[in-house]
Amino acid sequence: MKIGFYIGLFCCCLPVWATAQFDAGKLNELLQSYHDNQKVMMGICLSQNGNPVYTRNVGYADVEHKIESDSNTRYHIGSISKMFTAVLIYQLVEEGKLDMDTRLSQFFPEVTNSQRIHISQLLQHRSGLVNFTNDSSYLRYMELPHTRRQLLDRFAQSPSDFEPDTKAAYSNTNYILLSMIIEKICDSRYDEVLQQRICKPLGLRNTRVATIINTQDHEAQSYDFRSDRWVTSTQTHMSVPLGAGAIESTPQDLCRFIEQLFAGKLIQDSTLQRMITIRDHYGSGILQFPYNERKAYGHSGGIDGFQGMLIYLPETSLAMAITGNAWNYPMNSVAIAAMNIYFGLPFIQPSFQKHTIEYTDPHRPEGSYRNDKVDKVMKISKQGETLMAQALGQAAFPLQQKENQTYVFEAANIEIVFQQDKEGNYTGFQLKQGQMDVWFEREK
């Protein structure tokens, strides 16, 4: 499975207030229901003002040997690793060992367009370099050990997708190269630099570059859900993703990392402001997520069967980290539900009942729907027996049939009511969420 990430994670539209009474019991009940219904196996940490207020693990680190996960279980975090790599680069910049305008050709002249690619463009996915994990050949070699030279040879053979700095496109290749630049400047391997500059100073005892998974050593195996059961997923060799996706950690360590980052313990505040400056959807190793009217910063990631998310809301000093090794439910839904419960916002406990979508051709709801006033497009599709909704640029979420043409996404308190004309054609739907009530018309 490829190294992945997700951009549009939070889609609620209610105001957020500082939590007055967090109902931990409700969140416990939700996580247990995920586990009981084979939806997810994961760990979560919520921390405010540097103090963990909720931690929980559900499921197994090792299904076959019935090893339950706990607070010391380490999960692969995929592209969240890019936040660590970006911090290391900025530390070197602050020390005068690197410059944002330094060209890639100074280190790896064999890479396409290296003379015109700057460090800043690698950080913000503006290099134009092809994302090597999107190549069809990647699946054939991702589980094999690679030397740095072998990776560079692969990159050197690839053309560019676009001219440097003309636009942005997510590419793991950028962060592999940044990892190698860190190694060249520090004259040490990436994992050693990570420990010296971030993990040891912050006391992150459960954060490191992963190797071959050993579930007897507090590491989680990852799983895919097939034929109503969990089956072992692929295992990418960690010499391949490096600082783009090779780190493993715990939710507690991740919360501490991002809290200390925003507290100025890793880089200067002026550098942090540069890191979180968003251009064409990307900061430097960090993304911006909307949660209601607030802005959250962080990253998400996925590798093999692992998925994770790390976010920080500066206005409320709240950090949330989710790490999971088995997913049969959208991570976005889990995140929204946990945040809504924490802030005391409306939340409906999911039932996980299977619903059959009853309709016949040609009257089907699948298609694109638009609301010009809010300039939003929603796509309705069907996956198996589940109807899915997806706002343009955001993650898809499942709809459960409540009655007739009324569907709900309980995790975010969303209700969608489809309308049909006299001939039975679907003409649009009313989307309700809290105080929001918006009409989406079907595009022709």
Side-chain angles (χ1 to χ4, degrees):
M1 189 173 180
K2 298 180 180 180
I3 309 169
F5 84 109
Y6 310 87
I7 264 195
L9 293 175
F10 300 110
C11 58
C12 303
C13 300
L14 292 173
V16 174
W17 306 277
T19 181
Q21 193 170 15
F22 166 46
D23 190 343
K26 184 178 291 186
L27 188 48
N28 283 335
E29 182 181 354
L30 172 69
L31 295 179
Q32 192 61 46
S33 71
Y34 288 149
H35 178 244
D36 292 344
N37 290 279
Q38 294 185 293
K39 296 300 179 183
V40 66
M41 295 192 288
M42 57 170 278
I44 184 173
C45 176
L46 289 160
S47 181
Q48 192 158 34
N49 296 315
N51 300 308
V53 295
Y54 182 87
T55 61
R56 178 86 189 271
N57 288 71
V58 293
Y60 294 100
D62 186 328
V63 171
E64 182 182 2
H65 297 97
K66 302 299 181 185
I67 300 176
E68 295 185 350
S69 62
D70 58 30
S71 60
N72 291 313
T73 300
R74 302 188 300 276
Y75 303 80
H76 292 195
I77 63 172
S79 288
I80 299 173
S81 303
K82 292 180 175 65
M83 289 188 65
F84 290 82
T85 300
V87 167
L88 293 174
I89 288 289
Y90 274 120
Q91 287 179 345
L92 295 176
V93 170
E94 288 183 349
E95 295 167 12
K97 298 176 181 178
L98 191 63
D99 190 271
M100 287 289 101
D101 292 327
T102 300
R103 298 178 190 274
L104 179 59
S105 56
Q106 181 174 325
F107 302 97
F108 307 116
E110 65 269 43
V111 176
T112 305
N113 283 337
S114 62
Q115 293 183 342
R116 293 186 288 139
I117 295 173
H118 300 170
I119 296 298
S120 60
Q121 293 160 6
L122 293 171
L123 283 167
Q124 288 195 299
H125 297 291
R126 304 186 65 82
S127 69
L129 295 175
V130 172
N131 185 1
F132 80 109
T133 61
N134 285 345
D135 191 281
S136 59
S137 65
Y138 176 74
L139 299 177
R140 296 196 294 270
Y141 68 78
M142 68 182 197
E143 297 184 73
L144 303 175
H146 274 61
T147 65
R148 307 300 194 259
R149 184 69 262 168
Q150 286 174 313
L151 289 172
L152 281 170
D153 287 344
R154 291 186 183 278
F155 300 160
Q157 295 169 8
S158 298
S160 289
D161 279 337
F162 53 86
E163 290 298 303
D165 208 32
T166 57
K167 62 179 182 177
Y170 192 85
S171 175
N172 287 294
T173 307
N174 294 321
Y175 277 77
I176 306 293
L177 292 169
L178 288 170
S179 305
M180 294 182 187
I181 290 171
I182 291 168
E183 291 184 329
K184 278 183 171 289
I185 293 175
C186 297
D187 194 26
S188 297
R189 292 182 67 83
Y190 179 87
D191 52 341
E192 296 170 347
V193 180
L194 175 71
Q195 291 300 317
Q196 178 187 357
R197 288 178 168 269
I198 295 179
C199 297
K200 288 182 179 179
L202 297 186
L204 307 183
R205 295 180 297 175
N206 288 312
T207 302
R208 64 197 68 176
V209 171
T211 55
I212 297 174
I213 294 172
N214 177 8
T215 59
Q216 302 297 321
D217 185 30
H218 302 290
E219 289 182 301
Q221 178 62 264
S222 73
Y223 299 91
D224 300 320
F225 195 72
R226 298 174 186 164
S227 302
D228 295 325
R229 65 187 183 93
W230 296 114
V231 297
T232 303
S233 186
T234 55
Q235 186 174 162
T236 300
H237 197 281
M238 292 296 102
S239 63
V240 177
L242 294 179
I247 294 175
E248 64 178 10
S249 188
T250 64
Q252 294 90 328
D253 269 15
L254 291 177
C255 278
R256 179 163 176 77
F257 164 69
I258 201 167
E259 286 173 330
Q260 294 300 296
L261 172 61
F262 276 81
K265 302 300 183 181
L266 290 171
I267 53 178
Q268 300 170 11
D269 183 66
S270 58
T271 305
L272 174 64
Q273 295 308 310
R274 182 167 189 168
M275 182 176 177
I276 65 175
T277 298
I278 306 299
R279 184 183 180 192
D280 293 336
H281 306 298
Y282 300 107
S284 300
I286 202 165
L287 306 171
Q288 185 184 96
F289 308 128
Y291 177 68
N292 296 299
E293 79 278 11
R294 301 285 171 85
K295 293 178 181 178
Y297 295 93
H299 216 292
S300 55
I303 187 166
D304 302 319
F306 294 99
Q307 291 184 42
M309 178 191 306
L310 174 62
I311 65 162
Y312 185 76
L313 279 77
E315 292 182 63
T316 58
S317 300
L318 178 72
M320 182 181 73
I322 292 174
T323 54
N325 60 318
W327 294 86
N328 183 32
Y329 195 68
M331 182 175 63
N332 187 54
S333 305
V334 177
I336 292 172
M339 294 290 282
N340 283 1
I341 291 173
Y342 183 78
F343 285 110
L345 297 177
F347 168 75
I348 302 173
Q349 186 77 19
S351 64
F352 297 122
Q353 294 179 359
K354 293 184 178 180
H355 298 275
T356 301
I357 305 171
E358 298 179 356
Y359 51 77
T360 58
D361 288 329
H363 308 307
R364 304 172 66 90
E366 294 104 304
S368 294
Y369 297 76
R370 173 182 292 277
N371 181 291
D372 290 326
K373 290 184 179 179
V374 296
D375 192 27
K376 292 291 184 182
V377 174
M378 294 280 290
K379 181 181 178 182
I380 303 297
S381 60
K382 185 181 178 185
Q383 294 183 9
E385 291 302 319
T386 302
L387 204 63
M388 305 291 292
Q390 182 176 22
L392 187 63
Q394 295 193 9
F397 54 89
L399 297 174
Q400 292 183 336
Q401 191 173 27
K402 185 176 179 181
E403 57 182 17
N404 297 327
Q405 297 303 325
T406 300
Y407 292 79
V408 296
F409 176 46
E410 295 170 328
N413 200 36
I414 291 175
E415 181 179 272
I416 287 179
V417 182
F418 288 99
Q419 299 292 328
Q420 295 172 277
D421 60 21
K422 293 180 180 180
E423 287 74 35
N425 299 307
Y426 285 80
T427 57
F429 61 77
Q430 205 76 23
L431 187 149
K432 301 177 182 178
Q433 184 186 30
Q435 298 176 349
M436 183 179 72
D437 189 339
V438 181
W439 169 256
F440 281 79
E441 186 171 353
R442 185 166 189 165
E443 295 184 321
K444 303 299 185 183

